[in-house]
Amino acid sequence: MSDVPHSFRFHLPAPAATDMFARRVAALLGPADCILLGGPIGAGKTHFARAAIRALTHDAQEVPSPTYTLMQGYDAGDRTIWHMDLYRLGEPEELMELGLDTALEDAITLIEWPERLGSLTPARHMAITLAQAGEGREAVVQLVGGDWKRMSEGLS
């Protein structure tokens, strides 16, 4: 797998570009794929997650931020999606009580504030770090662990 690129950088000049990028990534996701969404408040983590979830479900899907519930599930036909916002997480072990281990095994997971996972950070994940860049945003993608060939080819 050494010939597969592990890092990508994208300039997203407007919210519509973030939507298109999220839809592009979502089209490549499968069961047990985990996206860790990093960046400061206002960087676009929830915006990205909302666009990806709508791409996998339907455009009118209501996607509230799970800041207070920590986890929100979505049915996408033959796939399950879990959107997690760990900003208010007390201890990472709380996630085990909520079923993090099961979600990581067979669902698509989108996790905001992943640094709060601590030792529970999955070995195989796609880290997307979003940051303000002038009038738009920049997304830095890192593919970590396991086989990401499908994703790497789709992002190239």
Side-chain angles (χ1 to χ4, degrees):
M1 186 162 125
S2 60
D3 60 337
V4 175
H6 290 84
S7 184
F8 302 87
R9 186 176 303 269
F10 299 92
H11 178 66
L12 309 170
T18 302
D19 291 345
M20 288 175 37
F21 175 62
R23 288 181 170 279
R24 182 177 173 189
V25 169
L28 299 167
L29 293 173
D33 283 346
C34 177
I35 297 179
L36 304 182
L37 294 165
I41 290 175
K45 297 179 296 291
T46 301
H47 185 105
F48 177 94
R50 194 170 279 132
I53 291 165
R54 287 180 176 152
L56 292 165
T57 58
H58 56 85
D59 285 337
Q61 176 70 55
E62 187 175 335
V63 183
S65 174
T67 301
Y68 293 99
T69 58
L70 295 181
M71 295 175 70
Q72 179 70 42
Y74 299 90
D75 190 12
D78 62 343
R79 297 179 279 188
T80 301
I81 306 163
W82 284 101
H83 178 200
M84 303 174 199
D85 183 329
L86 308 184
Y87 186 74
R88 297 174 48 84
L89 181 69
E91 296 294 324
E93 291 73 27
E94 292 175 39
L95 291 170
M96 298 310 282
E97 295 171 19
L98 294 171
L100 174 67
D101 52 344
T102 303
L104 291 172
E105 286 176 15
D106 58 12
I108 294 168
T109 54
L110 301 152
I111 304 175
E112 297 182 47
W113 300 100
E115 61 275 11
R116 295 208 161 96
L117 284 168
S119 65
L120 298 177
T121 300
R124 181 184 179 277
H125 63 268
M126 170 193 283
I128 299 178
T129 304
L130 296 159
Q132 293 292 98
E135 294 293 316
R137 294 185 174 110
E138 180 177 70
V140 176
V141 178
Q142 293 180 310
L143 304 174
V144 179
D147 180 10
W148 285 104
K149 184 176 180 182
R150 167 181 35 93
M151 185 64 69
S152 181
E153 290 173 351
L155 292 177
S156 295

